[in-house]
Amino acid sequence: MDITRRRQGRWLGGVCAGLASRFGLSVGAVRLGMVLVALAAGPPVVVGYLAAWAFLPIQDGTGVPAGGPDGSRGRPGGSAADAMAGAAVVVGAVLLLAEVSSWLPRSVLLPALLACGGAAVVWGGRSGDRAGPAAGGRMRPLRVALGVSLVLVGGVAMLAAVSDVRTIGRSAAGAAVVVAGVALMLGPGLARLARNLGDERRQRILSEERADVAAHLHDGVLQTLALIQKRAADDKEVRSLARRQERELRDWLYGRRQAAEPDGVAGLLRRELADVEDRYGVRIDAVLVGDAPLDDAARAVVAAGREAARNAATHAGVDTIDVYLEVEPERVSLFVRDRGAGFDPAAVPADRRGLADSVLGRVRRAGGHAEVHSTPGEGTEIELSVPRARAGTGERGQEKMARGQEKMDSGREQQ
Amino acid sequence: MKRVFVVDDHALVRAGVRSELADVPGAGGDTPRIEVVGEAVDVDSAVAAIPAAAPDVVLLDVHLPGGGGVEVIRRVLARHPSTLFLALSVSDAPEDVIAVIRAGARGYLTKSVSGPELAEAIERVAAGDAVFSPRLAGFVLDAFAGSVPVPADPELDQLTNREREVLRLIARGYAYKEVARQLSLSVKTVETHVSSVLRKLQLSSRHELTRWATERRIV
């Protein structure tokens, strides 16, 4: 395990706390040791502490190193204030030390502190909080500029304290001229290079997308259109082809491409209904609200719903069937409705067991509730519902995920 | 007879709407129930032409060159707040549907709607009521599904049980008449419920809808 700083129970940067927890020592002991060593050895320890503050990643009490997958580092802004408070304490302590002992001449100490402060400002953005590009992004250039100038001023002043000012001034000016010259020469070229790279990347993404669209339109839509023209005489076939293509295109456009394996009630139902549409040349307007993991009861309801839709497609004499699925916390309900011929449920001969067995019986055997409402001439509605198993927390989490997924999709099938 | 203005960038769709509506006979026999009084193909032309045509209802496509149906609604309503919009789209994306409704459309229909259904919806919107297709009802139920009551201002955003019942029946494919019969209500009451759902949908800038929209990265 790497050494990290601690947000929890820290005084300054959390360096002592981090060391303590890394080596299994008491925080108090580490702090006392740190202070004693600082008093004895002086600046190197202080600089070392600041460097540790700047470079060591911070770790929250949760044990997740900050900047981890979730990228959250606690309150944004809060740690900037913390850092400033800490820096103030450190500066105060060092000044006090300089006052009571004499291990550092004032003329060197102040510039050194200035430089350290500058470094802290620059690195603070890195080590304190990465509040995200939105928050930190605007302030960052300012922060860097401020920090860099502090470091420069501090460094120059420190050097000036130990050598001749004019020499430094002259060499600094020379260095600045060289740097400016290099920047002038290379700057525009570098900027153009960066821009070109960006443009090229955009172009590539764009052309890849275009190729993807073209491939899809060609493989799917154009071929279906060709088929439709060939089979123009066959009404039912044409409708079914068009509907199937529409479904595919919608799935593709609205990002429901992962239809390979339906992992919930809604996915399975959608696939079953698509199959009924293709086989019987009807249009099924499905409105799906919510989703749940598949269990036996849910499977039974979907299978019964499929049968009900098939019945409507074959007997009702309609083009369109309405299906409504709603997953609630305590039950799954499914309604299959047509505005077709209808029938008198009481008058169904006893040997016509299709509806009773494969639709109603199926759901009732699964512990659910099934009803038929039908009026001759007005249509039929089959109402199915099963209670949902009281799942443990694990499954509930899964369901929540499935639900979030489904929310994106629900109702899209209907058109 | 109601006057309608059609905004759609596809000539085929405009022609289709025109002929479907022309085929719907009026009560008197000869004159159609709905007359198309103007057409526009993009946002700018729609914004320019709608006030002049002064239609009862604007039939509006969601996807339009120049900013989409939402932009048309926003710009026309800014100057003529009494204009009524009914969205008509092939789009399957809930973000499209919710966006036009929140911008102020009085309803949302899919382009597979039949001529008579479309005529009825136009008349309903012209009368100041809301039009919920099964899909829109599904989206709304989904948006408010399983929501825990929010302590602050629950009146505004929660659906009442009756409203939920009405929406469920609409999602099941029931016409307003049938919903009314099923729940032993008058059609007028059903319309009132649906209008109040629409209002909640348009007003609820917080809570469920915001959360729902955020989850889907709609907003």
Side-chain angles (χ1 to χ4, degrees), chain B residues 4-25:
Chain B
V4 65
F5 191 100
V6 182
V7 185
D8 198 304
D9 53 329
H10 292 101
L12 269 175
V13 174
R14 293 197 306 274
V17 168
R18 223 177 233 284
S19 77
E20 288 259 0
L21 289 175
D23 290 346
V24 180

Side-chain angles (χ1 to χ4, degrees), chain A residues 112-129:
Chain A
L113 276 177
L114 207 59
C116 288
V121 168
V122 174
W123 288 104
R126 188 167 298 202
S127 64
D129 62 309

